[in-house]
Amino acid sequence: MGKVLVLNASYEPLNITTWRRAVVLLLKGKAEQLEYQKAELRTRFPIPTVIRLRYYVRVPYKEIPLTRRNILERDNHTCQYCYYKGDSLTLDHVNPRSRGGGDSWENLVAACVRCNVKKGSRTPDEASMPLLSKPRRPYSSLYFEIARSIRSGHHQEWQKYTIGI
């Protein structure tokens, strides 16, 4: 049946839950249904795909760790110079370490071995290798799961409730 995107009262994504949990929240009156599938559980009760809580829930800010896996996920496992998708991706410093570039979300991108060697210790402008997208810090860890679901085509209706995906 699928997963359900749960939005806060302010329409910001909170988490992804099962359709069963979403139905319980709807029946208890704690949430309202915004999007749904054509299939029905019972007569005139369609299966939800997006629900919004009726009350605001404060969520503590949790910083996403800067890891190789998270950078590859952010860049959709694609070389940011040549669109190569594959297993042999490396991390490239946009501003090379030899020129004072450090490890940060804004300075690391996924790159294939060929492009990483070709760029060397130069900036993308000096190497005439423009980036496909400007590297930035993801909004939340939920961002990765939502992005994966939208890209796969399973939950296109989630697109209008997310920013920057």
Side-chain angles (χ1 to χ4, degrees):
M1 295 229 186
K3 297 179 179 180
V4 179
L5 178 64
V6 179
L7 304 176
N8 212 339
S10 61
Y11 288 89
E12 64 182 310
L14 268 182
N15 69 353
I16 296 172
T17 190
T18 64
W19 67 270
R20 288 176 189 249
R21 175 74 178 130
V23 168
V24 169
L25 289 170
L26 290 169
L27 292 174
K28 286 186 171 183
K30 294 184 176 187
E32 64 178 321
Q33 185 168 290
L34 298 177
E35 302 281 339
Y36 52 88
Q37 296 177 3
K38 291 181 179 152
E40 295 180 343
L41 284 172
R42 296 218 178 233
T43 309
R44 295 183 292 147
F45 196 89
I47 299 169
T49 57
V50 179
I51 63 172
R52 181 181 77 91
L53 298 177
R54 293 188 186 275
Y55 53 91
Y56 184 80
V57 177
R58 278 192 59 139
V59 180
Y61 177 73
K62 195 166 118 180
E63 195 165 307
I64 301 169
L66 179 67
T67 63
R68 172 187 169 80
R69 182 179 180 185
N70 285 344
I71 289 169
L72 292 173
E73 187 72 34
R74 177 200 65 190
D75 293 342
N76 196 21
H77 297 276
T78 305
C79 174
Q80 294 300 292
Y81 298 108
C82 72
Y83 292 102
Y84 170 79
K85 275 186 158 234
D87 297 330
S88 60
L89 290 174
T90 62
L91 296 184
D92 178 53
H93 288 79
V94 177
N95 185 22
R97 280 195 220 176
S98 61
R99 298 192 182 184
D103 294 340
S104 69
W105 283 103
E106 294 77 21
N107 195 43
L108 287 168
V109 295
C112 65
V113 175
R114 196 175 125 254
C115 288
N116 203 345
V117 170
K118 180 180 172 186
K119 181 179 162 283
S121 61
R122 299 177 288 175
T123 65
D125 291 337
E126 292 169 350
S128 298
M129 297 173 68
L131 288 167
L132 300 180
S133 61
K134 187 175 193 275
R136 62 173 178 77
R137 176 185 300 274
Y139 297 118
S140 70
S141 57
L142 180 62
Y143 168 87
F144 295 134
E145 194 170 349
I146 292 173
R148 197 176 309 119
S149 292
I150 291 172
R151 281 190 216 117
S152 70
H154 289 118
H155 294 288
Q156 290 300 313
E157 69 276 7
W158 292 5
Q159 182 76 43
K160 60 184 165 186
Y161 300 103
T162 57
I163 299 170
I165 298 178

